[in-house]
Amino acid sequence: MGHTHFLTRRLENVKTGMSLCVLAYNLKRMMAIIGAGPLTAAIRA
């Protein structure tokens, strides 16, 4: 996804940034696999 370095310092902030990157990656994969419509319906339920 183009990230080569972290924009924050300290381990706690880097962990948060990495968690957000992993979450975005997983959501992109889920949208590619099942589509955006069923994914948003599953999130709302």
Side-chain angles (χ1 to χ4, degrees), residues 10-45:
R10 298 189 3 232
L11 185 58
E12 182 179 340
N13 294 336
V14 170
K15 283 182 184 179
T16 303
M18 188 63 200
S19 294
L20 289 173
C21 287
V22 169
L23 177 64
Y25 174 78
N26 287 334
L27 285 174
K28 283 179 68 174
R29 285 199 61 206
M30 290 299 295
M31 286 186 348
I33 293 170
I34 65 172
L39 182 61
T40 55
I43 290 173
R44 288 184 184 150

